[in-house]
Amino acid sequence: MSVRTRIAPSPTGDPHVGTAYMALFNWVFAKHHGGEFVLRIEDTDQARSTAESEQAIFNALRWLGLEWDAGPDVGGPDGPYRQSERREIYAEYARQLVRDGHAFVCFCTKERLDQVRAAQQAAKQTTRYDGHCLNLDADEVSRRIAAGDEHVIRMCVPEQGECTFTDQLRGAVTIPYSQIDMQVLVKADGMPTYHLAVVVDDHLMGITHILRGEDWLNSVPKHVLLYEYFGWRMPAMVHLPLLRNPDSSKLSKRKNPTSITYYRDEGILPEALINYLALMGWSMPDEREIFSKEEMVAAFDETRISLGGPIFDQTKLSWLNGQYLRSFSEDEFARRVADWMLNEDKLRGLIPLVHERVERLSDLVPLVDYLVGARKSLTPEDFNHKNLQREQVVMVLHHTLAAFDLLRRWQRDDLFNLSQQLAETLQLKFRDFLFPLFVAISGRSVSLPLFDSLLFLGADLSRARLRDALEALNVSGKERKRLDKSFAAMASELPLE
Ligand code: GLU
Ligand code: ZN
C-alpha cells in the first residue's frame, strides 16, 4: 500500500503557521516514501468557516511550495475534499453505527446536560455524558424523531477497561475508558463532529499515516473505537509537538503573530519559513541548520522528530532569513524584493491611500514608509499628548489590543464601530482616543487614515505594533493584570462577535 498523508485544516481566520508546520511534515513524510499528500478542508463548523479563509490556506501553502496531490481545488479520486460536501456519507455511516448498537440517539436538552455537568463538577468527577438515553426504546426513538424532536447521535464507550494504542514517537499510550466521553458524532443540525468525519474520511481517502498535533492524543481512544466498530484498519499515528510562545504556552495570536501572511508581509522568505518550521520538530542527521525541504525529504527519518515543546522564536527566524538573503546573488536579491512588496499588486493597495495626497512621486515614500516596512521604534515621549495622561494612553492601547484579539473579522466597519464604542466607554473624545493608536501603528501622530492603515497592515501586524507600543511604555505585569480586569468588565458592551 502506498503512503498517503493529509492535513485537514479548518478554514476559519488567517492561515496559521501551525497549519504550515503540519503540512510540511505530512508533505515531507509522503514524498520521502514516494507517496501522496492530501488536503482536506474541515468546514463542518458552518458558522465560522469562510471561502476567503479557505482560499488563503491554498495561497499560503502554495507560496510555501507545499503542493497537494488531491484536494478541493485540484480534485482527486476520493473527493469531495470539503467535509461540508460529504454530509450524506457521514449520515450513512452514523446510521450504520446506530443499527449495529455502537451509537445511540440522544434527546437530552442543553439544560439537562448543564445540570449533569454541574453535579459532576461539584462531586469532583470527570465531566461526561451520563448515559441517560443509552437504553431508550427503539419505537420511542422512531416516534420522537418522526415528531421532529431535536436530537444528536452519540457513540457508545465501554464502561470499563482502557484503550491502548501506538503512537510512532511515544510507543504504547494507555487511556482508561472512564475518561472518554460518549462523544456526539452527529450534531442536531445533521453535521458530523470532527471525530466521526476524521475517521470516515481518513479511511475512505486511504490515509496510511496521520501526522498531527499532540493536542489530539487524548481523542485517539474515540477514533480507535470507531475504527473497531466499522471493522477498519487504523492508520499509523504520529503526534507532533505543538509550536509554543516564548512563555511555553501553546502558540497563540495574542502573544505571537501566527498568520503566514504576516510573515510573508514582513519579508520572511518562504524557504526560510519552511526551514525554520522544519527545525521546530526535526533535525538533520548531520545537525546542519540550513536545508531545503527537498533535502529534508531525502534525509527524512521520523525517529529524528523531537518531542520537546518547540518555541517559536522570532529572533532565530530573522537570523535564518538573513542567512538566506545573504546567500543570494544581487540579481536574485533584487527579484525577491520586487516579489515581496514593490510589485504592482501591493502598490495597487497603497495607491488609493496616497492618490490625493502627493504632488511629486517622491512624496510617496515618506507617506507610506511605515506600511511598506517597519515603523520607527518608539519611546514613552512619543505618546505625550495635551489631553491624555500616560494611564489613559496605556488603557487605550491595551483595551484596543484586547478587543482586536477577540475580533473575528478584520473589516473596516467592524474596526471602526469597535473603536468608537471603546472611545465612548472610556469617555474619551474620538480624536484623542485615536492618537495613541496612530503613534503605535505609524510611529507618528499624523499619518494616512488609521483604519486604512490597519486594513493594509492586517490583523497580526497591527496587533504586533500595539503590543510593541505597550512594551515601549514600560507597562508592568501588575499594571497589565489590572488592565485585563478592567477590560473584562467592559468587554460585553463592545460590538464583538
Ligand atoms: N482540523 C483539525 C486541526 O486542524 C485536524 C486534526 C487532524 O489532523 O486530525 O487541528
Ligand atoms: Zn441523552
Side-chain angles (χ1 to χ4, degrees), residues 6-10 40 42 194 198 202 210-212 215-216:
R6 84 323 187 254
I7 54 162
S10 298
R40 182 168 76 221
E42 282 199 352
Y194 161 73
V198 75
D202 284 343
I210 296 174
L211 289 81
R212 69 179 158 207
D215 47 340
W216 294 107

Side-chain angles (χ1 to χ4, degrees), residues 87-382:
R87 277 172 84 118
E88 254 322 296
I89 302 175
Y90 309 122
E92 183 52 41
Y93 284 105
R95 280 193 290 271
Q96 179 187 326
L97 290 176
V98 174
R99 242 182 356 249
D100 296 347
H102 296 309
F104 59 97
V105 178
C106 165
F107 295 97
C108 291
T109 59
K110 183 174 176 305
E111 290 67 41
R112 175 170 191 281
L113 297 173
D114 287 346
Q115 275 169 14
V116 171
R117 183 173 320 110
Q120 288 171 336
Q121 269 163 352
K124 303 226 181 315
Q125 292 166 350
T126 313
T127 55
R128 57 204 287 262
Y129 182 69
D130 64 351
H132 185 71
C133 299
L134 204 47
N135 297 311
L136 290 183
D137 174 71
D139 290 338
E140 184 189 346
V141 170
S142 313
R143 188 179 51 72
R144 290 182 68 176
I145 293 179
D149 277 11
E150 188 154 289
H151 61 277
V152 300
I153 295 178
R154 289 182 186 272
M155 66 185 286
C156 298
V157 176
E159 276 184 36
Q160 273 153 21
E162 51 191 31
C163 176
T164 298
F165 58 90
T166 305
D167 174 90
Q168 305 285 311
L169 297 178
R170 292 167 178 78
V173 179
T174 297
I175 299 178
Y177 281 125
S178 59
Q179 281 175 26
I180 306 301
D181 203 3
M182 290 177 224
Q183 175 68 47
V184 173
L185 298 178
V186 180
K187 295 179 274 190
D189 65 0
M191 273 292 178
T193 56
Y194 161 73
H195 304 279
L196 176 63
V198 75
V199 167
V200 168
D201 286 348
D202 284 343
H203 175 71
L204 295 181
M205 295 178 184
I207 301 304
T208 57
H209 295 76
I210 296 174
L211 289 81
R212 69 179 158 207
E214 63 194 349
D215 47 340
W216 294 107
L217 206 52
N218 288 329
S219 297
V220 174
K222 294 174 187 170
H223 306 176
V224 169
L225 285 172
L226 290 172
Y227 277 96
E228 276 175 23
Y229 294 161
F230 287 124
W232 295 338
R233 189 196 153 111
M234 190 151 183
M237 285 177 297
V238 178
H239 289 87
L240 294 164
L242 293 179
L243 304 179
R244 298 189 177 269
N245 296 314
D247 65 3
S248 285
S249 55
K250 179 173 149 185
L251 188 70
S252 65
K253 65 178 187 184
R254 299 189 63 149
K255 299 194 176 154
N256 228 314
T258 54
S259 128
I260 300 170
T261 333
Y262 164 85
Y263 291 98
R264 191 194 61 200
D265 291 350
E266 280 282 277
I268 297 294
L269 304 162
E271 58 269 57
L273 185 54
I274 283 281
N275 190 161
Y276 186 67
L277 291 172
L279 291 174
M280 295 277 89
W282 193 75
S283 56
M284 271 285 184
D286 63 4
E287 302 284 335
R288 76 176 188 277
E289 290 202 295
I290 299 191
F291 53 87
S292 68
K293 62 186 192 306
E294 289 73 21
E295 290 171 313
M296 184 176 175
V297 167
F300 195 67
D301 167 2
E302 49 267 35
T303 64
R304 296 192 64 82
I305 296 177
S306 66
L307 281 180
I311 305 268
F312 198 92
D313 173 4
Q314 302 286 337
T315 315
K316 177 89 192 263
L317 173 61
S318 297
W319 171 82
L320 193 66
N321 202 56
Q323 300 294 309
Y324 275 88
L325 284 175
R326 279 187 276 288
S327 75
F328 290 158
S329 67
E330 290 186 1
D331 281 353
E332 178 67 9
F333 200 127
R335 198 174 65 73
R336 294 305 185 106
V337 175
D339 277 355
W340 164 63
M341 198 41 109
L342 302 177
N343 62 44
E344 243 188 277
D345 269 359
K346 267 287 173 199
L347 287 174
R348 273 231 179 93
L350 285 173
I351 300 309
L353 307 188
V354 295
H355 212 164
E356 303 293 326
R357 292 185 168 86
V358 298
E359 291 177 335
R360 297 181 180 209
L361 290 177
S362 59
D363 296 338
L364 194 130
V365 175
L367 272 177
V368 304
D369 58 353
Y370 71 97
L371 294 176
V372 177
R375 67 137 160 71
K376 77 173 186 93
S377 47
L378 300 174
T379 66
E381 289 68 48
D382 291 316

